Amino acid sequence: MTLVDLPTPALPPPAGVLRPRRTSKRLDVGSVPVGGGAPISVQTMPTTVTADVDATLQQIAAVTAAGCDIVRVAVPSQDDADALAKIVERSPVPVIADIHFQPRYVFAAIDAGCAAVRVNPGNIKRFDDQVRRIAREAGAAGVPIRIGVNAGSLDPRLLARHGGPTPEALAESALWECSLFEEHGFTDLKIAVKHHDPLVMIQANRILARSCEYPLHLGVTEAGPAFQGSIKSAVAMGVLLAEGIGDTIRVSLSEPPVEQVKAGVHILASLGLRARRLEIVSCPGCGRLQVDIHSLAKRVEAAFDGFPHPLRVAVMGCVVNGPGESREADLGVSSGNGKGQIFVRGEVVATVPEEQIVERLLDEALRLTESQKADTPEENS
């Protein structure tokens, strides 16, 4: 076998090696640090009416269990503003108030103890007249402000100058809006520029990364249903995060908030930016299969939904890749001919009928995690 000398790539290797994190200002969004090298946080928004305190808190509890670090709640009415204090008091994670159109809700959110406030100056009536007061009251309370810029709410002058919601227009809008606060000595700012097109979103954030040190919140707005939206979000965020750009993220899917959080957590875990939870490795299927691998993988996924410990579970269906992948995982099954070989940390521990595979994997997962607990110093102390 003749070995080939490969040329040294001109750019850093794109696979498995991330560029150093961009230097950014650190903000404290309640108990969660954002920027300044802090771990990248995952955000979402409840779909409940904020004024329905109990329903909103139930969703917040569900997304927190799924891995959410910060929640943002919509405040379109006075009833919603009045509910903020109760939500903040009982929420397990920091709460950001999302304000459009009415400046008075910004002050209500600060008074309610919200960890941060999101404003979209393009949607705030007489915003320029309110900046001084917002900066003064937010500064006194230690409440950061998130500048949120979307393509649908850009200043008409910027649209005319750039010919549309281009990356340059989005970035210029955000930096101009930050400058309004800077004039009053307020710099506890975080920027989010979003677009439905991943390429526009990527380029806008690259411009911002070169132009300021404010933390950047990443997201593809109106990304779409689960399949399309997850792909668009993973592509856009993956590119930027691999370049060291981004301090907090939201995956905006037309799906329940828990699914948005799961997608965000998986994006970070896939890049090694967050510890993995449960990961299921399963084969795509081919003519070698002697098992319905798609159905089996779904049943395994459903059985392990919410499993609290980080495990890699391989669900494989043929003798070509099945045994090897199963041995590499914490748990695995190589299936065929109506039965499955169960692997635990590389060793075959049982061969069971196909209808018992899911139950046996779950049993082995529980045993494995219990043995890991027993081996930790905390458990033995």
Side-chain angles (χ1 to χ4, degrees):
M1 179 178 179
T2 302
L3 298 179
V4 177
D5 290 330
L6 297 177
T8 302
L11 296 174
V17 178
L18 305 184
R19 296 185 189 179
R21 288 278 298 280
R22 160 185 170 265
T23 300
S24 62
K25 176 184 175 70
R26 171 173 163 156
L27 301 176
D28 289 319
V29 180
S31 59
V32 176
V34 173
I40 298 168
S41 52
V42 175
Q43 301 187 25
T44 191
M45 292 186 72
T47 56
T48 55
V49 175
T50 303
D52 188 341
V53 173
D54 289 339
T56 301
L57 285 168
Q58 286 175 2
Q59 273 205 2
I60 291 175
V63 299
T64 301
C68 186
D69 303 297
I70 300 169
V71 295
R72 179 160 50 102
V73 298
V75 189
S77 74
Q78 186 62 52
D79 287 343
D80 298 316
D82 292 341
L84 287 173
K86 293 180 180 177
I87 293 172
V88 168
E89 180 182 9
R90 295 164 57 188
S91 173
V93 293
V95 176
I96 297 176
D98 190 76
I99 311 295
H100 294 268
F101 305 116
Q102 293 295 342
R104 69 177 184 272
Y105 298 152
V106 174
F107 308 118
I110 293 172
D111 291 341
C114 287
V117 176
R118 180 269 176 106
V119 297
N120 185 336
N123 282 344
I124 294 284
K125 294 179 180 178
R126 301 179 302 279
F127 179 81
D128 292 6
D129 300 334
Q130 300 289 336
V131 173
R132 180 189 298 273
R133 183 183 170 195
I134 293 174
R136 182 178 67 247
E137 296 199 14
V143 175
I145 299 291
R146 169 181 154 182
I147 300 294
V149 177
N150 289 341
S153 57
L154 280 178
D155 188 299
R157 293 168 294 181
L158 288 173
L159 291 173
R161 181 187 308 164
H162 293 280
T166 63
E168 292 77 13
L170 291 167
E172 183 179 344
S173 176
L175 293 172
W176 173 73
E177 290 158 7
C178 288
S179 74
L180 299 178
F181 284 93
E182 292 165 354
E183 289 176 1
H184 301 288
F186 187 89
T187 58
D188 286 344
L189 301 168
K190 178 175 60 173
I191 299 177
V193 294
K194 296 187 177 183
H195 197 281
H196 67 271
D197 185 331
L199 297 179
V200 174
M201 176 271 203
I202 289 169
Q203 188 57 19
N205 279 280
R206 283 173 172 166
I207 294 170
L208 288 169
R210 295 193 299 266
S211 304
C212 71
E213 292 189 352
Y214 292 123
L216 299 181
H217 171 83
L218 304 184
V220 177
T221 193
E222 290 94 34
F227 178 75
Q228 174 179 292
S230 295
I231 292 174
K232 290 167 67 174
S233 298
V235 167
M237 294 180 191
V239 167
L240 290 169
L241 293 169
E243 295 176 0
I245 298 172
D247 301 286
T248 181
I249 67 172
R250 182 197 177 191
V251 180
S252 299
L253 305 177
S254 298
E255 296 289 334
V258 165
E259 299 306 314
Q260 299 177 22
V261 171
K262 288 180 180 178
V265 170
H266 277 295
I267 289 171
L268 295 181
S270 295
L271 291 166
L273 296 171
R274 178 175 283 218
R276 290 187 181 275
R277 290 190 166 192
L278 178 72
E279 179 189 8
I280 295 178
V281 178
S282 58
C283 62
C286 70
R288 295 190 298 266
L289 291 182
Q290 296 176 328
V291 64
D292 183 352
I293 195 65
H294 303 141
S295 174
L296 179 58
K298 288 180 180 178
R299 286 189 286 124
V300 171
E301 183 179 36
F304 279 83
D305 186 40
F307 195 80
H309 304 289
L311 291 176
R312 178 178 284 116
V313 182
V315 183
M316 306 301 295
C318 83
V319 297
V320 175
N321 295 319
E325 289 286 358
S326 297
R327 288 191 179 94
E328 289 296 318
D330 297 299
L331 297 172
V333 58
S334 184
S335 312
N337 291 323
K339 57 184 182 294
Q341 276 190 320
I342 305 296
F343 291 76
V344 178
R345 294 286 168 84
E347 301 293 332
V348 177
V349 298
T351 299
V352 300
E354 185 177 324
E355 60 271 16
Q356 296 179 17
I357 287 173
V358 176
E359 180 181 0
R360 185 60 183 262
L361 284 174
L362 195 54
D363 287 344
E364 295 295 344
L366 293 171
R367 273 194 284 270
L368 185 58
T369 53
E370 285 301 317
S371 67
Q372 289 174 333
K373 287 181 183 179
D375 291 339
T376 60
E378 292 80 6
E379 293 294 327
N380 291 332
S381 61

